[in-house]
Amino acid sequence: MHLPFAPPTKAPSMRATVLTLVCLVVPAVARAQDTAIVINPESVSVAPQPGDLPRLVAEEAIRFYNAATTTRLVGRSRLPRGNEWRGDVAVRNGAVSVGGRIQGTLLVINGDASVDSGAVISGDLIVIGGTATQTPGAAVAGEVRVYRAPLGYRTQGEEIAPARVNPRRWLRSVGLEKSWGTADSRSSLTLATGGTFNRVEGLPVVFGPMFDWKLQENVRFRLDALGVFRTAGDLTDRRSDLGYLLRTELRSGEVPAYGAELRAYDAVVPVEDWGLRNAEIGWAAFLFQRDYRDYYLSKGLAGRVFVRPERLLQLAVEVRRDWQTSVAARDPWTLFRHDQPWRPNPPIDAGHYTTASGTVTLDTRNDRTDPTAGWLLSAQLEFSHSKDVSPQSGVPTTVRRPIPTDGSYKFTRAFFDFRRYTRVSPSGRVNLRLLAGGWLGGDPLPLQRRLSTGGADPLAGYGFRHTTCNRDITDAAFTGTLVAACDRVMLVQAEYRGHISLHWAYNSSRPEDEESKSLLALRGPDLVVLGDAGQAWLVGSGPGRLPADRLPTLGSWLADLGMGVDWGGFGLYVAKAVTAGEPLRFTLRLDHRF
């Protein structure tokens, strides 16, 4: 992230002092009340993620797996029709398909369970870190329990034990949750970070109740009523200090699954969120006063329907109506460089926008946090229009055509992210990524939907926002903002990862096949050799533009080469631009590149 290091020269404000005390007190309260720590790594604004697996459930699963009377299996397993397993069975790190009869309880750890027609389980069916599917005609005599959160564990010979705490979690968003109820219906009171530290909000803190009820078999209803306290706000202006998220979700089934969601929100939203991860953005801002995103305020209503016909595939359609407006950078306290000014937050094209979008996601990765095999294909198409858009002045026609203000403003935008993870040797992997997106049709994109490219991600050999298409924007409102102004972007990333064995393991597990790799393995560093190429550009006719049906020539693309060491997500990389006179750049990452 090209982060400088300098000591602070200002004392923290009273607000920063209070926030620090809260951060120190909350973990102590959590230990005293035996509550769950909420980890929220990838929320864009204030949408909380599910909590961890309850401690009692984890202990029960480990006891069951280690019991002398339990048959233990590892990896994908199948019991064909007409066959029988006698006694309790536990399977870890693999999908289980049951076509015959199990005389006992089946426990599936970090995998999915499928019970076919005619299959019989005389005991319970317990699935942790996966889904359970029963076809008509399947019989489970006991209780069916499904926990989406995975079980973190390490192997000790033939047995398993609780996983040691992963240091990467210390750098995630943390909070406190107190829950009541059963596995079927739960109520909880949450206090957690709801995004990432930034120069507009400071550290957003989410608080309020959440309810998850089982209405009937395979039908659940969820209600979240959360407030958001923006710690960098002015306490005398409550409207800027407080946001909210009210969300309801009705969901049927696990696989296949169907559902609908309604939400009302007042959230600070990032302009471009496909580069560095939230944790990396937040720590760069808090430690070194470097914020690698821009933001705007969005208030409105949204409705979403989704279907998950297969475990790996999800389709969703959303319609939202929101008011979008500019927000200014504040002066939240940072650990270093607090005497330096923040980069100004650029203005946007304010107005009420009605947006319809469709998203398709196909995810066959064997591990979402540390994949070594599989595909991730994500595609989004959105159509948006506004009858009262107020275009920001100071954007010349050399950057974009005038935005109509007669109520006819509309545009279409698309975004694609395709990734492939392949193991090429016992210790070697090749990862590939193609990312493309931007304007597809209609009027020009508003400032909050425009694009740029550069470092520290995805082009590690270039400076932050090396290509922004904003050279002709000279208005004082944009001075020092590095506003992203391109219509389209296309990028290719490739890396080879070779494992460096240190002859010990942080969280040992020896899976039998690629599908059953441990979720929390951390065995030593990876040597990473990387290469990136891409470009961002303006669409249209005239100097510096490309027609809508053309791509930049390969000779105009930016490219870099580099290498680094990645230890469980903590990475140090060095990269050099090969198509421009850029200096050698060092980048510290808190997560895998992609």
Side-chain angles (χ1 to χ4, degrees):
M1 281 176 276
H2 324 304
L3 303 180
F5 186 92
T9 59
K10 288 184 181 180
S13 65
M14 179 61 70
R15 176 186 285 258
T17 303
V18 172
L19 179 61
T20 302
L21 292 175
V22 170
C23 292
L24 293 174
V25 170
V26 164
V29 176
R31 287 191 295 270
Q33 296 185 350
D34 191 25
T35 54
I37 296 298
V38 180
I39 306 300
N40 184 9
E42 291 297 329
S43 67
V44 172
S45 54
V46 296
Q49 300 295 320
D52 291 342
L53 185 69
R55 178 175 56 83
L56 294 178
V57 176
E59 293 176 351
E60 176 192 3
I62 291 173
R63 284 197 303 268
F64 183 94
Y65 185 93
N66 293 337
T69 56
T70 299
T71 299
R72 307 164 191 162
L73 302 173
V74 180
R76 289 171 291 183
S77 305
R78 176 172 176 77
L79 178 64
R81 186 183 300 273
N83 291 269
E84 181 177 284
W85 286 341
R86 296 185 178 182
D88 295 335
V89 180
V91 182
R92 62 178 173 90
N93 294 340
V96 181
S97 176
V98 180
R101 183 180 184 87
I102 297 179
Q103 293 279 19
T105 292
L106 173 62
L107 168 66
V108 182
I109 298 175
N110 300 343
D112 299 326
S114 174
V115 185
D116 301 334
S117 178
V120 176
I121 300 177
S122 64
D124 299 334
L125 172 61
I126 306 172
V127 179
I128 297 175
T131 61
T133 305
Q134 297 183 61
T135 58
V140 178
E143 186 180 15
V144 177
R145 287 188 284 157
V146 179
Y147 303 90
R148 295 188 186 180
L151 172 67
Y153 68 89
R154 51 195 169 94
T155 58
Q156 293 182 337
E158 296 297 322
E159 297 184 347
I160 62 175
R164 301 181 181 94
V165 176
N166 189 336
R168 291 173 61 185
R169 295 164 63 90
W170 301 339
L171 300 175
R172 301 295 192 182
S173 303
V174 180
L176 177 70
E177 180 185 86
K178 181 62 179 178
S179 299
W180 300 268
T182 66
D184 288 338
S185 297
R186 295 182 64 192
S187 302
S188 61
L189 189 62
T190 296
L191 174 65
T193 58
T196 185
F197 185 90
N198 61 78
R199 67 190 188 281
V200 171
E201 297 177 287
L203 181 66
V205 177
V206 173
F207 58 92
M210 299 188 297
F211 307 93
D212 187 358
W213 294 299
K214 180 179 179 180
L215 301 182
Q216 59 185 49
E217 190 67 30
N218 292 328
V219 178
R220 305 193 69 87
F221 176 77
R222 175 163 182 160
L223 170 63
D224 300 337
L226 302 176
V228 184
F229 177 59
R230 297 167 182 144
T231 59
D234 181 358
L235 289 172
T236 62
D237 183 1
R238 296 180 181 272
R239 290 175 298 176
S240 65
D241 273 4
L242 296 178
Y244 57 84
L245 171 65
L246 302 176
R247 185 173 76 97
T248 63
E249 180 188 86
L250 183 65
R251 182 188 184 98
S252 174
E254 292 291 338
V255 178
Y258 313 90
E261 174 188 282
L262 294 174
R263 61 182 197 278
Y265 50 89
D266 177 330
V268 172
V269 181
V271 173
E272 292 182 288
D273 61 357
W274 47 268
L276 295 172
R277 311 291 179 89
N278 276 11
E280 296 173 309
I281 294 290
W283 281 103
F286 176 70
L287 292 177
F288 303 109
Q289 205 179 73
R290 294 291 182 88
D291 195 336
Y292 291 92
R293 286 180 181 166
D294 296 330
Y295 308 89
Y296 63 95
L297 182 65
S298 177
K299 298 182 181 182
L301 300 171
R304 174 175 171 266
V305 294
F306 64 89
V307 58
R308 190 181 182 187
E310 301 290 342
R311 182 176 66 89
L312 307 175
L313 177 65
Q314 178 163 303
L315 301 93
V317 175
E318 179 177 274
V319 177
R320 62 181 181 271
R321 168 75 172 175
D322 58 357
W323 174 62
Q324 301 175 12
T325 188
S326 303
V327 287
R330 310 268 180 136
D331 188 24
W333 182 81
T334 58
L335 190 59
F336 303 109
R337 302 181 73 248
H338 184 60
D339 60 323
Q340 302 295 318
W342 287 92
R343 178 173 62 89
N345 192 53
I348 68 165
D349 299 311
H352 291 86
Y353 289 83
T354 302
T355 304
S357 64
T359 304
V360 178
T361 304
L362 175 65
D363 190 350
T364 69
R365 295 174 296 175
N366 61 324
D367 185 336
R368 291 189 176 185
T369 60
D370 188 12
T372 61
W375 293 85
L376 173 62
L377 310 177
S378 177
Q380 182 183 65
L381 178 67
E382 66 177 41
F383 172 80
S384 185
H385 67 90
S386 175
K387 295 183 178 180
D388 61 356
V389 62
S390 178
Q392 178 66 33
S393 60
V395 182
T397 56
T398 54
V399 175
R400 71 174 181 191
R401 305 188 317 271
I403 287 180
T405 57
D406 59 358
S408 64
Y409 179 52
K410 58 183 179 181
F411 63 89
T412 305
R413 185 179 185 268
F415 210 84
F416 306 90
D417 190 354
F418 299 161
R419 309 181 193 184
R420 172 61 177 169
Y421 302 87
T422 307
R423 185 181 290 279
V424 295
S425 70
S427 61
R429 309 190 297 276
V430 172
N431 302 332
L432 303 172
R433 182 189 191 189
L434 170 63
L435 184 146
W439 179 86
L440 205 61
D443 297 312
L445 294 175
L447 289 169
Q448 59 268 36
R449 304 301 286 160
R450 301 180 82 82
L451 302 160
S452 65
T453 190
D457 189 81
L459 297 177
Y462 293 83
F464 173 60
R465 289 192 175 164
H466 182 276
T467 300
T468 57
C469 308
N470 65 9
R471 184 179 58 185
D472 294 336
I473 300 179
T474 59
D475 189 88
F478 296 94
T479 301
T481 62
L482 299 178
V483 60
C486 299
D487 289 315
R488 290 178 178 174
V489 66
M490 178 173 286
L491 296 155
V492 177
Q493 293 181 276
E495 64 180 24
Y496 170 80
R497 290 178 172 265
H499 189 70
I500 303 174
S501 177
L502 297 181
H503 305 291
W504 63 277
Y506 170 80
N507 188 19
S508 177
S509 179
R510 296 183 179 277
E512 293 183 354
D513 62 16
E514 188 62 37
E515 289 292 331
S516 62
K517 187 178 70 62
S518 171
L519 293 178
L520 298 174
L522 181 58
R523 302 172 184 233
D526 285 341
L527 177 64
V528 182
V529 180
L530 61 94
D532 311 301
Q535 189 58 278
W537 68 97
L538 294 171
V539 175
S541 59
R545 293 175 172 271
L546 286 176
D549 58 352
R550 288 180 55 190
L551 298 176
T553 61
L554 291 180
S556 69
W557 281 38
L558 304 175
D560 62 35
L561 295 173
M563 62 185 305
V565 177
D566 182 327
W567 195 323
F570 295 102
L572 177 62
Y573 300 90
V574 58
K576 181 68 172 70
V578 298
T579 56
E582 292 286 315
L584 200 66
R585 295 184 182 273
F586 291 85
T587 304
L588 175 66
R589 298 295 302 268
L590 304 181
D591 216 320
H592 299 306
R593 296 194 328 129
F594 61 90

